[in-house]
Amino acid sequence: MTVTTAQTSTVAPSSSRITAFLAARPVWLAGVLAALAGAVVTEAFALVARASGVPMAAANPGAEEAATIPVGGFVGGVLFWSVAGIVLASALARWARRPARTFVVITVALTALSMAGPAVAPHTATSTQIVLAVSHLVAAAVIIPLLAGRLSAVRR
């Protein structure tokens, strides 16, 4: 007698289900959803850093002193800069021959360039500079794959 058991598990939705969900949405909406996800994850990262004692104060070039980064500041920053990414993704979906690949190349390059900002922030603790730089990577790690997955569904 052979006994078989069914195995069930509760896991997060697979990336293929998320990609399929986003593929059925307009590029702009997939971008908005990706930006919201990226903003939430990035803010959570910043809250952990803040709770760990990292001083959340940074200065822009030319500033006399660092200003406090408010709770929610990372959400605002991610959403603000995501608008450019959503516009880029929408344009590439319409006019690029390989929109997903082009989007990834451009956004990875822009993410690398964005690391310069935290590196040169005056009157900013090194720990804060590191958190700011890593927060750029966190946001990119969430948003870029989600939007690239949506763009890969674009058929020419």
Side-chain angles (χ1 to χ4, degrees):
M1 172 198 246
T2 305
V3 177
T4 57
T5 59
Q7 294 182 352
T8 59
S9 64
T10 15
V11 294
S14 70
S15 63
S16 62
R17 287 179 60 195
I18 293 169
T19 302
F21 173 80
L22 292 176
R25 306 295 178 267
V27 172
W28 70 266
L29 180 56
V32 168
L33 295 173
L36 289 171
V40 168
V41 171
T42 304
E43 185 67 37
F45 167 75
L47 289 172
V48 169
R50 191 182 302 269
S52 300
V54 175
M56 287 297 158
N60 290 321
E64 296 287 325
E65 61 185 39
T68 301
I69 301 169
V71 172
F74 286 81
V75 167
V78 170
L79 294 178
F80 178 82
W81 289 107
S82 292
V83 171
I86 295 166
V87 170
L88 173 65
S90 297
L92 292 173
R94 183 176 179 117
W95 293 299
R97 201 166 130 235
R98 296 171 58 189
R101 177 165 168 40
T102 306
F103 179 78
V104 169
V105 168
I106 291 170
T107 54
V108 167
L110 290 173
T111 301
L113 283 173
S114 78
M115 304 302 273
V120 300
H123 313 295
T124 305
T126 302
S127 59
T128 306
Q129 290 175 317
I130 292 168
V131 167
L132 290 170
V134 172
S135 72
H136 291 203
L137 299 176
V138 168
V142 174
I143 297 167
I144 293 172
L146 290 174
L147 258 173
R150 169 57 185 94
L151 290 172
S152 66
V154 172
R155 300 288 174 232
R156 296 260 170 258

